[in-house]
Amino acid sequence: FRSKIYLGNLDSERDWGYAPDFVKGMWASLQMENPESFVFAAGKPKSIANMCQAAFKTVGIDNWQDYVGIDKKFYRPYDKRCIWGNYSKAEAKLNWTPETSFEKWVKIMVDNDINLLKK
């Protein structure tokens, strides 16, 4: 048992999203008479720290910082860049928006991992 998990840059931000939401958008785009290219994204960047906070909160831990360490060997060359998608075309043409909140899909993911560990 380790007392900490070591990660890289906790300030790095990405446009995290729930794959089933994106698949619904992809399916909707394929129903068009003349399919087009779309961006399916959450549209809201969240940091690695946000991910840790949400994941640990799922298991009832508020002081997640006590369990997460930083190791620079896990830093990426482009961690400083904030990347997020603009799904406005999908919203306008397909009436598509992401349905599942960041906190909800993190909970789904953590709960799934816990259930796998119980097997």
Short mmCIF file of all heavy atoms in Angstrom, two decimals, residues 5 7 19 30 33 40-41 50 54 61 67 79 99 102 107:
data_model
loop_
_atom_site.label_atom_id
_atom_site.label_comp_id
_atom_site.label_asym_id
_atom_site.label_seq_id
_atom_site.Cartn_x
_atom_site.Cartn_y
_atom_site.Cartn_z
N ILE A 5 -0.12 8.94 -4.38
CA ILE A 5 -0.01 8.74 -5.82
C ILE A 5 0.76 9.95 -6.34
O ILE A 5 0.52 11.08 -5.89
CB ILE A 5 -1.38 8.60 -6.50
CG1 ILE A 5 -1.21 8.36 -7.99
CG2 ILE A 5 -2.26 9.79 -6.24
CD1 ILE A 5 -2.49 8.01 -8.72
N LEU A 7 1.86 12.43 -9.40
CA LEU A 7 1.42 12.94 -10.68
C LEU A 7 2.36 14.05 -11.12
O LEU A 7 3.23 14.47 -10.37
CB LEU A 7 -0.02 13.48 -10.57
CG LEU A 7 -1.07 12.49 -10.08
CD1 LEU A 7 -2.39 13.20 -9.83
CD2 LEU A 7 -1.24 11.36 -11.08
N ALA A 19 -17.28 10.09 -22.65
CA ALA A 19 -17.32 9.46 -23.97
C ALA A 19 -18.74 9.15 -24.46
O ALA A 19 -19.05 9.41 -25.63
CB ALA A 19 -16.46 8.20 -23.99
N LEU A 30 -23.94 11.42 -37.99
CA LEU A 30 -24.07 10.41 -39.05
C LEU A 30 -25.49 10.28 -39.58
O LEU A 30 -25.71 9.68 -40.62
CB LEU A 30 -23.57 9.06 -38.54
CG LEU A 30 -22.08 8.99 -38.27
CD1 LEU A 30 -21.72 7.68 -37.59
CD2 LEU A 30 -21.28 9.17 -39.55
N GLU A 33 -28.15 14.09 -43.72
CA GLU A 33 -28.14 13.70 -45.13
C GLU A 33 -26.75 13.89 -45.73
O GLU A 33 -26.28 13.08 -46.51
CB GLU A 33 -29.18 14.52 -45.91
CG GLU A 33 -29.38 14.02 -47.31
CD GLU A 33 -30.57 14.65 -47.99
OE1 GLU A 33 -31.62 14.78 -47.34
OE2 GLU A 33 -30.43 15.01 -49.16
N PHE A 40 -16.81 17.61 -30.71
CA PHE A 40 -17.59 17.21 -29.54
C PHE A 40 -16.67 17.35 -28.34
O PHE A 40 -15.63 16.69 -28.27
CB PHE A 40 -18.11 15.78 -29.69
CG PHE A 40 -19.01 15.63 -30.89
CD1 PHE A 40 -18.55 15.00 -32.03
CD2 PHE A 40 -20.29 16.16 -30.88
CE1 PHE A 40 -19.35 14.88 -33.15
CE2 PHE A 40 -21.10 16.05 -32.00
CZ PHE A 40 -20.64 15.41 -33.13
N ALA A 41 -17.03 18.21 -27.43
CA ALA A 41 -16.18 18.54 -26.29
C ALA A 41 -17.04 19.01 -25.14
O ALA A 41 -18.22 19.32 -25.31
CB ALA A 41 -15.19 19.63 -26.70
N ASN A 50 -8.39 19.63 -10.31
CA ASN A 50 -9.86 19.49 -10.30
C ASN A 50 -10.25 18.01 -10.38
O ASN A 50 -11.18 17.57 -9.71
CB ASN A 50 -10.50 20.22 -11.47
CG ASN A 50 -10.35 21.72 -11.45
OD1 ASN A 50 -10.09 22.32 -12.49
ND2 ASN A 50 -10.50 22.36 -10.30
N ALA A 54 -12.32 15.95 -7.48
CA ALA A 54 -13.58 15.27 -7.77
C ALA A 54 -13.48 13.76 -7.49
O ALA A 54 -14.41 13.17 -6.93
CB ALA A 54 -14.00 15.51 -9.22
N ILE A 61 -13.16 11.74 0.57
CA ILE A 61 -11.92 12.36 1.04
C ILE A 61 -11.87 13.80 0.54
O ILE A 61 -11.83 14.04 -0.67
CB ILE A 61 -10.68 11.57 0.54
CG1 ILE A 61 -10.69 10.16 1.13
CG2 ILE A 61 -9.39 12.31 0.91
CD1 ILE A 61 -9.61 9.25 0.57
N TYR A 67 -2.82 13.00 -0.23
CA TYR A 67 -2.63 11.72 -0.89
C TYR A 67 -2.02 11.84 -2.29
O TYR A 67 -1.81 10.83 -2.96
CB TYR A 67 -3.97 10.98 -1.00
CG TYR A 67 -4.60 10.73 0.35
CD1 TYR A 67 -5.50 11.63 0.89
CD2 TYR A 67 -4.25 9.61 1.09
CE1 TYR A 67 -6.06 11.42 2.14
CE2 TYR A 67 -4.79 9.39 2.34
CZ TYR A 67 -5.71 10.30 2.86
OH TYR A 67 -6.25 10.08 4.10
N ASP A 79 2.39 20.98 -20.92
CA ASP A 79 1.44 21.07 -19.82
C ASP A 79 0.95 22.48 -19.54
O ASP A 79 -0.10 22.67 -18.99
CB ASP A 79 2.04 20.50 -18.53
CG ASP A 79 1.75 19.02 -18.39
OD1 ASP A 79 0.92 18.50 -19.15
OD2 ASP A 79 2.34 18.40 -17.51
N GLU A 99 -24.09 16.30 -21.88
CA GLU A 99 -25.15 16.13 -20.88
C GLU A 99 -24.62 15.83 -19.49
O GLU A 99 -25.29 16.10 -18.50
CB GLU A 99 -26.08 14.99 -21.31
CG GLU A 99 -26.78 15.23 -22.62
CD GLU A 99 -27.56 14.02 -23.10
OE1 GLU A 99 -27.66 13.01 -22.36
OE2 GLU A 99 -28.08 14.07 -24.23
N PHE A 102 -18.84 17.23 -15.31
CA PHE A 102 -17.50 16.75 -14.96
C PHE A 102 -17.56 15.91 -13.69
O PHE A 102 -17.05 14.79 -13.64
CB PHE A 102 -16.59 17.97 -14.77
CG PHE A 102 -15.20 17.66 -14.31
CD1 PHE A 102 -14.25 17.19 -15.19
CD2 PHE A 102 -14.84 17.87 -12.98
CE1 PHE A 102 -12.96 16.91 -14.76
CE2 PHE A 102 -13.54 17.61 -12.55
CZ PHE A 102 -12.61 17.12 -13.44
N LYS A 107 -17.33 10.63 -10.95
CA LYS A 107 -17.93 9.69 -10.00
C LYS A 107 -18.23 8.34 -10.67
O LYS A 107 -17.95 7.29 -10.09
CB LYS A 107 -19.20 10.27 -9.40
CG LYS A 107 -19.87 9.36 -8.38
CD LYS A 107 -21.09 9.99 -7.77
CE LYS A 107 -21.81 9.13 -6.77
NZ LYS A 107 -21.37 7.81 -6.49
#
